[in-house]
Amino acid sequence: MEATLITNPTPQRALRGHRPARPSPRVANSAEHQAALAVRLTPRDKWIARMLWEHRVLTSHQVTALAFPSFRSGRQRLRELYLWGVVDRFQPFVTVGTAPMHYVLAPAGATVLAAEDGRDVKEMGYRHDRAFAVAHSLRLAHTVGVNEWFTTLVARARHEPGALTAWWSETRCSRHFGDLVRPDAYGRWQQGDRQIEWFLEYDFGTEPLAKLAGKLSGYAALAEATGITTPVLVWLPTSRREVNARRVLARAQAQLTEPHTVPVATAAAALLDPDAAHPSPADEVWLPLDPEGRCADGHSPASPTPGPASRHRSPRTTPRPARCRLRPRRCRPRHSGRRAGVRFSQDGGGRGGRGAAHSGSDRRGRRRCGRLPVHQRWRC
DNA sequence: GCTAAACAATTATGCATTCG
DNA sequence: CGAATGCATAATTGTTTAGC
């Protein structure tokens, strides 16, 4: 190393003599390390790992909003999980400022999850290189955007009524509905005894609108196959693009055999008030595609229907159609067990070791669990 | 100047042991 | 046997540092 390369060139064989050293003092995923993790990892840690496995990548902002009381404490814990090899992280390049850390599931975390499920890592389908590949994926911004969409819903639910009771990733949706539709996510929102579920199409402004509109026939086919009408929410970046999208979507919807089986509503990110306390897609930003102006639940946004989300709506006199909220409707689970083997469970605990009381970590975990907000109310 | 990470310090909690 | 105490560790907050 002392001599210059020109006078003492490094032979090729020297470059591959040893295995590369680990860049940081992170621990290997050994049996000893797994034993140590069994003591250290809390149910929340495992929940975070499971969320990363489900949704591939979450930023430090997103993880802390989902699971921690403060940003500071969340970052601290994430750093520890990183050092323990439970999560990996990377920082994408951005042109201005510094990007937040982006977290993905690391091998030790995958081992923990697999063990929890009584499988091994291979069965689970985890591969380190694939988990990290999202760092270089051209769809990274899209994935992070979808996750942000849902994260803001959860953050809202921590301060206002309502709860996100289901959040399926694009991958999970593909697994269940992939032969017909490939939404960016599936979600369910509960408010009191009312709930609404939806498919999300998250548009980043990069896809031809015709392709977006072409997806409606798939949703119609799904509705016909299942007998379930699930609203499709189309989220667009700007109001301008929303206008264009609505025109194309309306045309496509009109061509469906049974247009009413695919209720569509659109909204634009630009409609959110950045100064609001918790801006989220639960705000009054949705515009149904239905020419009669009805919301996905069948109510007209202009009618004074009483409901938890419509109390504060002021009568509008503008000629533009009124925006409405995601209005949950009162209905019992109408399809438990249906839809291609999908289960809609709403137990609050998840799989996090509740009931098995033999380790110190479990005791500590339960204590923390008691203080946790609603973030554990759904199961991936 | 702003944002995020790292560091240091403080507080809270659970557990085991000891005391009355 | 139940309450009190000490200890170890987790959780949180304040402050400083670094990068853009």
Side-chain angles (χ1 to χ4, degrees):
Chain A
M1 281 304 201
E2 293 299 322
T4 62
L5 283 175
I6 194 67
T7 60
N8 187 16
T10 306
Q12 180 65 29
R13 63 178 181 279
L15 293 176
R16 42 173 134 131
H18 297 89
R19 308 174 77 178
R22 290 179 180 278
S24 62
R26 300 177 66 198
V27 284
N29 192 18
S30 63
E32 290 79 11
H33 181 53
Q34 280 293 318
L37 284 183
V39 178
R40 288 173 173 168
L41 290 191
T42 68
R44 179 170 65 184
D45 296 333
K46 295 173 187 171
W47 184 83
I48 290 170
R50 199 167 285 284
M51 289 294 285
L52 290 176
W53 174 235
E54 169 79 14
H55 302 293
R56 299 186 66 189
V57 56
L58 293 166
T59 67
S60 53
H61 288 284
Q62 290 165 351
V63 175
T64 54
L66 289 169
F68 290 88
S70 74
F71 187 38
R72 179 67 194 83
S73 60
R75 274 198 317 233
Q76 177 86 352
R77 189 65 179 175
L78 280 171
R79 182 174 170 272
E80 289 178 308
L81 294 179
Y82 165 70
L83 292 176
W84 296 341
V86 175
V87 302
D88 269 324
R89 63 184 185 177
F90 60 93
Q91 206 170 11
F93 175 78
V94 290
T95 50
V96 288
T98 52
M101 283 291 180
H102 288 51
Y103 287 88
V104 298
L105 187 63
T111 306
V112 170
L113 292 188
E116 224 179 21
D117 295 343
R119 298 188 291 176
D120 68 34
V121 177
K122 270 187 185 154
E123 278 179 282
M124 180 179 159
Y126 174 84
R127 274 181 47 181
H128 192 195
D129 54 346
R130 284 191 198 154
F132 229 121
V134 71
H136 309 288
S137 166
L138 295 175
R139 285 169 50 80
L140 172 63
H142 182 269
T143 306
V144 171
V146 172
N147 292 346
E148 181 73 18
W149 197 92
F150 279 90
T151 299
T152 57
L153 279 181
V154 177
R156 176 201 154 93
R158 294 175 74 173
H159 301 90
E160 296 174 53
L164 187 70
T165 52
W167 171 13
W168 289 10
S169 66
E170 176 184 354
T171 308
R172 183 176 293 263
C173 288
S174 294
R175 207 151 57 228
H176 288 291
F177 320 121
D179 48 337
L180 295 174
V181 296
R182 305 176 79 86
D184 292 320
Y186 159 83
R188 180 157 31 81
W189 178 263
Q190 181 111 22
Q191 201 154 339
D193 59 345
R194 295 163 174 263
Q195 69 173 24
I196 181 174
E197 55 179 344
W198 66 86
F199 290 119
L200 174 68
E201 288 288 345
Y202 188 97
D203 176 82
F204 225 112
T206 55
E207 192 178 60
L209 286 175
K211 189 178 173 190
L212 176 66
K215 296 175 178 176
L216 292 192
S217 58
Y219 286 107
L222 179 68
E224 187 184 351
T226 62
I228 301 167
T229 297
T230 306
V232 177
L233 303 183
V234 182
W235 185 260
L236 301 131
T238 62
S239 299
R240 184 192 180 97
R241 186 167 172 85
E242 188 193 8
V243 170
N244 294 330
R246 291 180 62 81
R247 192 169 54 241
V248 180
L249 284 167
R251 203 181 307 143
Q253 192 187 44
Q255 288 171 355
L256 297 176
T257 318
E258 295 183 89
H260 65 275
T261 63
V262 188
V264 177
T266 64
L271 293 169
L272 290 178
D273 175 13
D275 297 325
H278 305 287
S280 79
D283 293 344
E284 209 168 79
V285 293
W286 294 98
L287 195 59
L289 195 63
D290 188 325
E292 293 166 34
R294 290 177 304 187
C295 284
D297 62 356
H299 289 119
S300 166
S303 71
T305 310
S310 64
R311 279 175 311 201
H312 307 299
R313 191 179 320 105
S314 54
R316 290 169 187 254
T317 53
T318 56
R320 297 172 62 87
R323 301 267 170 182
C324 61
R325 296 184 185 223
L326 296 178
R327 188 117 37 94
R329 66 172 164 181
R330 187 176 293 113
C331 61
R332 289 292 88 207
R334 50 199 164 127
H335 45 246
S336 54
R338 288 194 63 187
R339 188 172 271 174
V342 173
R343 284 183 301 118
F344 292 93
S345 58
Q346 290 187 34
D347 52 334
R351 306 160 199 251
R354 186 168 295 210
H358 53 77
S359 75
S361 71
D362 185 71
R363 284 192 302 265
R364 281 194 296 276
R366 192 158 41 223
R367 162 194 120 208
R368 267 171 241 134
C369 234
R371 289 199 299 181
L372 286 180
V374 293
H375 80 266
Q376 290 191 322
R377 292 295 160 79
W378 78 85
R379 185 194 283 191
C380 303

